[in-house]
Amino acid sequence: MASLIHQPCEKCGSSDAKAYYDDGGTKCFSCGEATFPKNKSNTRPLVNPNAIIPIWPAEHLSSLSNKALTWLSLRGITQAVATLYGLHCIYDENTLFVPQWDTNHNFIRYQTREIDTKKIRTYGKPYDPAFYSHRKGTKQLVIVEDAVSCMRVGEFMDCVALTGTALLSKTLENITKLGYTHYITWLDTDEAGFSGTKKLYNQLNKFGDVICILNTPEPKWMIDDEILRTLGRYDNWES
C-alpha cells in the first residue's frame, strides 16, 4: 500500500513539508530536496499512481473522539465543519481520518493524522496533493499550507491547501481552470512560508491579480472575526 509520512524538513525548516515514502525515498514539498531509494531511478514516481485507495471497514471508522474534537476545536474546526468534510477517527482516539476530494468533489484519496506524534500518512494518487475546500463560487481563491487552515477559510471563501509551501504544476493547472481572477496567498510566517510566498506570486501573477498576506498567523489559529477582517480587505477586490 503506497503511503507517506510528513515530518519537519532539516534543510528549510518547514514544520511538516518533508514526505517519507514507503520505498525509502523522501521529498520536501517546500524546498524541493529529495532522496531516492537505493538502486531506484529518480524518474520513478515516489508513490504508485495506480495505488488502490483502501476503503476502511465501517467498524474501524468511529465518531470523533473527545481528544480529536478538542484538537480540532483549538484550531477553530466545529463539529459541523468536521462533519461536512467527513472527518472520523480510525481504530483509536488518536488517529484522524481526513478524506480528500478533487476540484469536482470526487473522492480521490485520504490522509490519516496521529494527533500525538503529528505523523501524516497519505493514501492515493500524488500528482495533485492539494486539499480543496467546498466551493462557494467566489472569484477569489485563498491559498494556504494545510488542510485545517483550508477548512477554516473555506467557511467564508474558496480555498486550497498546498499541503506544504510549493504550488505543484498539477495543482496550478487545476486551479487556473476554475475561473478565479484573484489569488490571495496566506502561508506560514516561517522562512519556508516567506520563500514559498515569493514563488507563488511569480507563478500566479500571469493568471490574475495576487495579494500576499504576510506576518499574519495561519487561519487555524484565528477566530472567525479575525479571519473575516483579514479576508474582508479583499472581499470586493477589483482588478
Side-chain angles (χ1 to χ4, degrees):
M1 182 184 300
S3 68
L4 56 90
I5 301 176
H6 288 279
Q7 292 289 284
C9 177
E10 302 86 352
K11 181 178 180 180
C12 69
S14 178
S15 61
D16 61 358
K18 188 170 183 178
Y20 289 78
Y21 296 89
D22 281 348
D23 60 6
T26 67
K27 180 178 179 180
C28 177
F29 285 89
S30 176
C31 67
E33 180 174 328
T35 61
F36 300 92
K38 189 175 181 180
N39 298 325
K40 301 285 186 178
S41 165
N42 62 6
T43 60
R44 177 183 181 275
L46 288 176
V47 177
N48 178 4
N50 298 313
I52 296 174
I53 303 174
I55 303 300
W56 289 93
E59 61 269 23
H60 292 163
L61 284 177
S62 62
S63 300
L64 292 171
S65 64
N66 289 333
K67 182 176 185 177
L69 285 170
T70 298
W71 186 88
L72 290 166
S73 66
L74 288 172
R75 290 154 179 81
I77 302 299
T78 64
Q79 177 74 66
V81 172
T83 299
L84 176 66
Y85 286 95
L87 306 187
H88 288 80
C89 279
I90 300 178
Y91 297 125
D92 57 47
E93 65 173 16
N94 186 55
T95 306
L96 274 174
F97 172 89
V98 185
Q100 294 184 264
W101 294 268
D102 62 16
T103 54
N104 295 314
H105 297 304
N106 297 311
F107 175 73
I108 53 173
R109 65 182 166 272
Y110 68 88
Q111 288 184 340
T112 61
R113 180 183 184 112
E114 295 178 18
I115 296 172
D116 288 341
T117 64
K118 299 182 180 180
K119 287 183 178 179
I120 299 174
R121 292 181 182 271
T122 300
Y123 300 85
K125 296 184 179 182
Y127 293 122
D128 181 4
F131 181 96
Y132 294 91
S133 71
H134 286 262
R135 294 176 63 193
K136 292 184 172 296
T138 57
K139 64 182 179 182
Q140 305 96 333
L141 178 69
V142 184
I143 301 171
V144 298
E145 287 192 27
D146 66 276
V148 175
S149 287
C150 183
M151 293 180 211
R152 291 289 288 126
V153 172
E155 297 183 60
F156 314 106
M157 194 176 287
D158 287 2
C159 189
V160 60
L162 303 179
T163 61
T165 61
L167 176 57
L168 301 188
S169 58
K170 187 61 177 179
T171 306
L172 178 62
E173 177 186 342
N174 285 337
I175 65 176
T176 53
K177 288 178 179 178
L178 297 176
Y180 296 108
T181 57
H182 303 78
Y183 300 93
I184 303 171
T185 69
W186 192 348
L187 304 189
D188 200 353
T189 56
D190 58 15
E191 183 178 346
F194 282 116
S195 176
T197 296
K198 293 178 183 178
K199 294 176 183 177
L200 281 175
Y201 181 85
N202 291 330
Q203 288 176 285
L204 291 168
N205 66 2
K206 63 190 72 173
F207 298 102
D209 293 324
V210 183
I211 284 289
C212 302
I213 298 176
L214 301 172
N215 300 313
T216 303
E218 291 177 280
K220 63 186 176 186
W221 302 121
M222 301 173 76
I223 61 174
D224 286 0
D225 285 349
E226 292 172 326
I227 294 174
L228 285 168
R229 280 198 299 271
T230 301
L231 295 177
R233 306 174 211 166
Y234 317 113
D235 193 32
N236 296 309
W237 181 23
E238 298 289 348
S239 58

